[in-house]
Amino acid sequence: MSVPDRVAPNSPADLGLTELSAAIAEGHLTSVTAVTDVLDRIEASQPTLNAFRVVRREAALREAAEADARRAAGTRLPLLGVPIAVKDDTDIAGEVTAFGCGGEFEPAAADAESVRRLRAAGAVIVGKSNTCELGQLPFTSGDAFGHTRNPWDRTRTPGGSSGGSAAAVAAGLVPAALGSDGAGSVRIPAAWTNLVGIKPQRGRISTWPHPEAFHGLTVNGPLARTVRDAALLLDLAAGPHPGDLHTPAPIDATAAVGRDPGKLRIALSLRIPFTATRTALDPQIAAAVHDLATTLRALGHTVTIADLHYGVLIGASFLPRSLGGISKVHRSMPAAVVDPRTTANARIGRVLSGPALTAARMLEPLLHRRIGAFFDDYDVVLAPTTATPAPRAEEIDGIGVGATNGLITGACPFTWPWNVLGWPSVNVPAGFTDTGLPIGAQLMGTANAEPTLIALAAQLEAERHWERDRPTPWWT
């Protein structure tokens, strides 16, 4: 597998979240300088990379100046003055939440709970990153904004639906970003852009103003170049709102970084969950995941080839919740202008939103017991994140519902079961194809297993140093 040229950091945005927050806190860099640099890089990249739907230049610069004044007055906060991005399914007071759609929308009246918590930590939200319509696809494309491009290859998608966040981080526009994951939408773009992407336990990061998102499938999660940065963003965005339906006990993700995870029993599973579409695992991705398993064995873990058998019921639980969620969000956005495929999915979702949805939710305890039994013998499952490298960005254009389903299922059949279960999973970079496209692998655990997964991911990062690999800039 080829490894791309390593590009030395050359701006504040090339620093990681932890490094940049320390530089600002210690007075080596002002927030205004860092935020201006980020905004200038975003503006220069928009015609080509196209990672953002909303850029908050005036507001962000004002907030950066306020952060500098607060720091000068003695205020200390973990992200004081640090620029980050959030996905365009997340409300920011005074900004439109288009969720990838066309049309005219009223600005949000209040921050989402995750944004409120990031602001409380001192972060400056520079903008809202692009996502596909209602988060349905592992592509970040739409008639309303065009194609977001992959920093590693301009012809490829960065994945989706958190592709704008992933592209922005991988390109060094921002040190970290928040995304959301309803069927792999953090992990898939992380895999295709050489990032760490954490899908946390359901409820770990509040989805308020929604008590739960997409009938419990969708969670918010961080994207960053390092495990430490992803863990830091997770900790600072995490926490419940009183209206949340799911409130897991708190964890300390940052403390898990650098902690010895112990000698773990790891199952290497390449089996593709049941799909109605023909799927196959790319040999280069299979080889990369096996190579990661070799590294894990060298670190002292026991890695056993042991396929996880999901069964057909997990798919029966996923589809009504996913399509029902699309229908619900679509109804809440009557002014949205959307692709015919979105309209078709929303129509199917309305049909499935009755008894089928109720039955789907009732299956979850059974699935927890059935799949949880696998973890009697193993601590972690290692699996591919995607079945193929990133497709061409235009591959999603102008095709019907059936062809779209075949395309996205063929590329991304691995991630969605963990959304049904609500359990945590972490994408880690696993190398590159012979043409230089990033490959990712998932570390998957049971409920509230983030500390173990994060400790294991950090151990891998210390050995493989994927954070050193950066794309050669073509977008400026």
Side-chain angles (χ1 to χ4, degrees):
M1 298 177 198
S2 65
V3 176
D5 294 335
R6 287 177 171 171
V7 180
N10 59 10
S11 84
D14 284 317
L15 299 173
L17 188 68
T18 306
E19 298 165 323
L20 185 55
S21 61
I24 293 173
E26 293 164 8
H28 302 308
L29 194 66
T30 67
S31 177
V32 168
T33 299
V35 170
T36 299
D37 178 79
V38 164
L39 291 167
D40 288 348
R41 288 161 70 88
I42 291 171
E43 183 178 326
S45 71
Q46 269 301 99
T48 50
L49 191 67
N50 190 23
F52 283 83
R53 186 70 183 268
V54 174
V55 180
R56 305 179 67 243
R57 176 173 281 273
E58 183 177 337
L61 288 173
R62 182 178 64 251
E63 292 164 14
E66 292 168 355
D68 285 333
R70 294 175 71 190
R71 187 185 64 80
T75 299
R76 295 293 180 264
L77 295 169
L79 292 183
L80 186 58
V82 178
I84 64 167
V86 301
K87 183 177 175 180
D88 191 33
D89 63 348
T90 304
D91 288 346
I92 298 175
E95 305 291 351
V96 165
T97 302
F99 206 165
C101 302
E104 299 293 327
F105 307 98
E106 291 294 321
D111 289 335
E113 178 65 14
S114 58
V115 170
R116 187 195 70 78
R117 288 179 177 271
L118 291 174
R119 287 191 194 272
V124 175
I125 314 297
V126 294
K128 305 184 73 175
S129 58
N130 272 325
T131 179
C132 60
E133 289 178 6
L134 310 188
Q136 301 167 86
L137 306 172
F139 287 73
T140 299
S141 306
D143 290 343
F145 62 89
H147 294 283
T148 297
R149 301 287 173 173
N150 192 317
W152 293 91
D153 184 335
R154 72 183 72 199
T155 70
R156 305 284 175 153
T157 180
S161 61
S162 304
S165 288
V169 176
L173 305 184
V174 291
L178 204 61
S180 62
D181 189 313
S185 288
V186 163
R187 291 162 289 161
I188 292 164
W192 285 344
T193 58
N194 197 54
L195 298 179
V196 176
I198 301 177
K199 176 216 169 298
Q201 177 71 24
R202 182 185 300 149
R204 179 76 60 212
I205 299 177
S206 174
T207 55
W208 192 261
H210 309 292
E212 64 173 7
F214 283 72
H215 302 291
L217 293 179
T218 297
V219 301
N220 294 324
L223 291 133
R225 287 190 292 259
T226 68
V227 177
R228 183 174 298 278
D229 288 349
L232 176 61
L233 189 58
L234 173 58
D235 277 340
L236 297 175
H241 183 279
D244 289 348
L245 289 182
H246 310 283
T247 55
I251 61 165
D252 189 339
T254 304
V257 178
R259 180 190 298 163
D260 183 356
K263 304 307 180 186
L264 299 174
R265 303 165 301 165
I266 300 173
L268 170 58
S269 177
L270 302 184
R271 182 184 179 88
I272 294 174
F274 173 80
T275 67
T277 303
R278 183 178 179 183
T279 56
L281 179 61
D282 185 287
Q284 291 190 73
I285 293 180
V289 179
H290 274 286
D291 188 51
L292 202 66
T294 299
T295 301
L296 288 165
R297 291 187 183 103
L299 289 168
H301 303 291
T302 300
V303 183
T304 305
I305 297 174
D307 280 332
L308 181 55
H309 294 265
Y310 293 96
V312 298
L313 287 180
I314 197 162
S317 179
F318 175 76
L319 284 175
R321 294 164 71 174
S322 176
L323 293 171
I326 291 168
S327 178
K328 182 178 179 180
V329 177
H330 185 250
R331 288 197 308 273
S332 75
M333 301 175 67
V337 178
V338 298
D339 186 276
R341 290 170 289 188
T342 299
T343 304
N345 284 339
R347 187 182 304 117
I348 297 169
R350 284 196 295 274
V351 175
L352 296 178
S353 291
L357 178 58
T358 301
R361 297 306 298 263
M362 292 176 65
L363 283 173
E364 192 170 311
L366 171 64
L367 295 169
H368 281 163
R369 290 193 299 272
R370 178 177 294 176
I371 296 173
F374 188 81
F375 288 88
D376 292 342
D377 299 314
Y378 301 99
D379 303 304
V380 173
V381 173
L382 169 66
T385 301
T386 68
T388 71
R392 290 183 300 103
E394 284 82 7
E395 224 167 312
I396 198 69
D397 294 353
I399 58 177
V401 172
T404 298
N405 290 339
L407 172 61
I408 65 178
T409 304
C412 302
F414 284 104
T415 49
W416 59 270
W418 246 242
N419 295 88
V420 173
L421 298 166
W423 293 344
S425 175
V426 178
N427 177 81
V428 294
F432 297 85
T433 68
D434 56 13
T435 59
L437 294 175
I439 294 168
Q442 293 184 88
L443 304 173
M444 304 149 69
T446 53
N448 303 306
E450 292 103 322
T452 297
L453 302 179
I454 288 167
L456 182 60
Q459 190 180 53
L460 278 169
E461 182 178 89
E463 188 71 21
R464 294 174 68 106
H465 288 294
W466 53 64
E467 79 283 359
R468 296 175 181 172
D469 298 320
R470 309 282 180 91
T472 302
W474 53 262
W475 50 86
T476 56

